[in-house]
Amino acid sequence: MSYQITTRFAPSPTGAPHIGNIRTAIFAWVYARSHKGRFLLRIEDTDRSREVSGATEAIIDSLEWLKLDWDQNPKFSNLIFQSQRLAIYQKYAEELVKKGCAYVCTCSEERLKELRERQIAAKQPPKYDGCCRGKIQNSKFKIQNYVIRLKVPHEGQTEFFDIIRGKVKFENNLIDDQVLLKSDGYPTYHLANVVDDHLMGVTHVLRAEEWLSSTPKHLLLYKFFGWKPPRFAHLPMILGKDRSKLSKRHRAVSLLEYKKQGYLQEAIFNYLILLGWRPQTDQEIFSRLEIIKQFSLERVQKSPAIFDQEKLDWLNGWYIRQMSASELLDRLIEYGQKFDENKTRSLKI
């Protein structure tokens, strides 16, 4: 069986995709296309309390606007929703319990809250204390109101090689016994993410730096299941020019808001690929084909990328000025038909 590089974009439908989400999607798409691989889309909708109506449609609209086409997975439907796969995650969680790699926890919410408050008061990192870890496990799962937790080894280290960051190491005794399956039967991100990445044949996981500390939990799951883990690449944060976390005060609105404001998808794509990736030359204007040919994860920086609104405006103006009069007119008509808000919006030239 031939090896084919496979990446994925796996957003949660908790709102319209923002610049950071879409930058991840672009990097994953470009990396797959640069290796003639597959780029897959998965909707991670297992956190029902945070789901926002219309968010899935916004995700698809964003990808289609940027022309980030996704591939059909031969074993799955074209678009995967984790909420439709609960029995699969439950089966794998129970398998881990039977192997002794996870355990049933019946601690109440009240007890967990009190534990957390005591730890914070003692200036300790909040972490489950293993109260249920040594209890006899019910292999038939007939008890009520339980969760299933990962049984993290107390000894040793979990280390891996990140394509961007190099060798990364975590002490196992600092890793929490993460909940894998919640009391309502829904999996947490950690379990569903690993199971689906394996079943979908994902070879390279590109995701935000904030998930770096979750990687040892995921690697332990791969080890306990006996699966080969994918390679990981944790992308640098995106900061404002003041080096603070990107927010609305930096005009860090959702991607579709930029579309509504009149920015071109060519400019957005070109600009976002430069947020963290360093070309070999000082070139700043790239065609999509040039990016695909030149892109490599080894040239993605570790340090945060700085979002510069003025540079985005300059790029947008450059792309507009390359259009013929007829093409610009067509774009303006299309824009006006889609966003007719008393004609108060205008293209950023």
Side-chain angles (χ1 to χ4, degrees), residues 144-170:
Q144 301 295 318
N145 299 321
Y146 69 89
V147 301
I148 292 179
R149 290 184 179 272
L150 179 65
K151 196 171 187 178
V152 178
H154 286 159
E155 314 81 25
Q157 301 169 325
T158 297
E159 61 181 60
F160 64 99
F161 182 84
D162 186 277
I163 298 174
I164 297 171
R165 299 169 190 284
K167 189 174 181 180
V168 183
K169 184 186 301 183
F170 290 85

Side-chain angles (χ1 to χ4, degrees), residues 325-344:
S326 60
E327 183 183 1
L328 179 57
L329 179 59
D330 289 342
R331 294 271 191 127
L332 287 168
I333 291 173
E334 179 185 2
Y335 175 82
Q337 290 173 341
K338 191 170 184 64
F339 301 111
D340 184 8
E341 296 182 359
N342 298 319
K343 308 299 188 227
T344 56

Side-chain angles (χ1 to χ4, degrees), residues 102-155:
Y103 59 95
V104 171
C105 174
T106 57
C107 290
S108 66
E109 289 291 334
E110 291 75 19
R111 181 186 182 278
L112 295 175
K113 182 180 178 181
E114 291 175 2
L115 172 64
R116 180 181 178 85
E117 290 174 348
R118 289 200 305 270
Q119 290 172 330
I120 291 175
K123 297 183 179 180
Q124 299 173 343
K127 180 183 174 186
Y128 183 64
D129 62 356
C131 176
C132 293
R133 188 177 172 114
K135 292 181 180 179
I136 297 176
Q137 299 296 297
N138 187 331
S139 61
K140 296 184 179 180
F141 302 95
K142 292 182 179 179
I143 55 177
Q144 301 295 318
N145 299 321
Y146 69 89
V147 301
I148 292 179
R149 290 184 179 272
L150 179 65
K151 196 171 187 178
V152 178
H154 286 159
E155 314 81 25

Side-chain angles (χ1 to χ4, degrees), residues 10 13-14 30 47 58 62 66 80-81 95 112 133 175 187 195 212 216 219 226 236 245 254 262 265 288 318 333 346:
T14 55
V30 170
D47 191 345
S62 298
L66 289 180
I80 299 166
F81 290 87
E95 177 184 318
L112 295 175
R133 188 177 172 114
I175 303 173
V195 168
L212 187 65
L219 288 172
K245 188 174 181 180
S254 72
Q265 60 88 4
R288 192 165 293 224
W318 186 91
I333 291 173
S346 62

